[in-house]
Amino acid sequence: MIKTILFDAYGTLISTGTGSVDATAAMLRHLGISMDPAAFYREWKQLHKIFQRAPRIFRTDEQIFEAGLWELFGRYGIAADAGEEVHFMLESLLGRRAYPDAEPAMAALSRRYLQVLASNTDTAPLLENLRDNDLRFHAVYTSESLARYKPDPWFYRMILQELKLLPEETVYVGDSPEEDVWGPAQVGIRTVWLNRKGAACPEGIRPDAEIQSLTELPGILDTM
């Protein structure tokens, strides 16, 4: 019997929109650099993933954003202080808005399930976004609070341990096939893939259910 829903945050409940690319564009304009901000951000994001999964001492998202920027400045010969310029990206993490289907779905599920947030992010910007959107949870876990990033199975095990839950009592809902489907499945948590864009699921990853809107979630849980 499912008792608890673990939700991913960004891309699932809260939209990131074009904020990251817009922040990159503003930074490049400030530096007087004529580069495609979308391409620059893609490289920055790729480095972010690599640094998150590097087998070394844990670094926060803020520290990783700066480390990736130093790497790119060196790669392109940009004479600038990444520690100063990273503020464009950090400020873009605030003021994000929830998807229209987030609050109604959570309200419909609130009487039947505990709702917990589990996200790859630093804690402070996430809490501010939750306050701005009046989204409330039984508990909130972040990569910063757990000192580990999804899809490391340890991330999910720690949540189960702290909440005193069995894997079969839990379902994870999120938009990332690797972080929100493959990762939770490694510890026996059932998964619902929120596929807003109708993309193909990567080979070898099989969610227990797939939806395109959170409005479908209550009905899907009834079948699990």
Side-chain angles (χ1 to χ4, degrees):
M1 177 180 175
I2 296 173
K3 295 181 179 179
T4 301
I5 306 170
L6 302 178
F7 283 101
D8 171 55
Y10 299 109
T12 299
L13 298 173
I14 300 173
S15 174
T16 59
T18 61
S20 298
V21 175
D22 292 345
T24 303
M27 179 190 70
L28 293 174
R29 283 197 302 273
H30 175 254
L31 294 172
I33 296 171
S34 179
M35 294 181 66
D36 178 3
F40 191 96
Y41 175 67
R42 279 196 297 272
E43 291 190 58
W44 199 354
K45 187 175 182 179
Q46 288 169 355
L47 286 170
H48 205 86
K49 293 284 188 184
I50 292 169
F51 291 155
Q52 281 181 340
R53 298 173 189 184
R56 59 180 69 177
I57 296 173
F58 177 82
R59 290 189 286 186
T60 65
D61 238 25
E62 179 175 340
Q63 291 169 331
I64 290 175
F65 273 122
E66 182 178 336
L69 198 54
W70 279 116
E71 176 81 16
L72 288 174
F73 282 177
R75 183 179 299 177
Y76 290 108
I78 298 171
D81 185 340
E84 293 289 335
E85 302 303 325
V86 74
H87 79 88
F88 286 96
M89 183 60 69
L90 300 180
E91 290 169 5
S92 78
L93 304 179
L94 306 177
R96 291 174 167 176
R97 306 310 304 170
Y99 287 102
D101 57 0
E103 193 280 331
M106 290 182 60
L109 297 165
S110 62
R111 294 185 180 181
R112 298 173 57 193
Y113 306 100
L114 288 180
Q115 299 183 81
V116 173
L117 201 63
S119 177
N120 269 358
T121 184
D122 288 347
T123 304
L126 176 60
L127 292 180
E128 182 165 334
N129 282 316
L130 294 181
R131 286 192 297 269
D132 288 347
N133 290 283
D134 196 27
L135 296 178
R136 303 179 185 184
F137 295 87
H138 174 73
V140 174
Y141 295 95
T142 67
S143 49
E144 183 179 23
S145 68
L146 294 174
R148 202 68 59 97
Y149 287 97
K150 299 184 294 183
D152 188 326
W154 194 91
F155 179 97
Y156 317 96
R157 288 195 189 102
M158 282 301 299
I159 295 173
L160 294 175
Q161 180 178 315
E162 289 199 15
L163 294 176
K164 297 180 172 55
L165 287 169
L166 298 173
E168 57 266 27
E169 297 172 329
T170 310
V171 63
Y172 199 105
V173 180
D175 70 303
S176 168
E178 186 173 10
E179 295 171 359
D180 305 328
V181 177
W182 182 87
Q186 301 311 298
V187 300
I189 295 173
R190 282 176 284 182
T191 59
V192 176
W193 180 34
L194 176 59
N195 184 11
R196 292 187 182 276
K197 298 179 180 178
C201 195
E203 186 176 353
I205 297 179
R206 292 186 176 87
D208 292 288
E210 178 180 336
I211 57 178
Q212 288 192 295
S213 168
L214 291 172
T215 58
E216 302 171 62
L217 186 56
I220 287 291
L221 293 177
D222 285 341
T223 70
M224 297 178 72

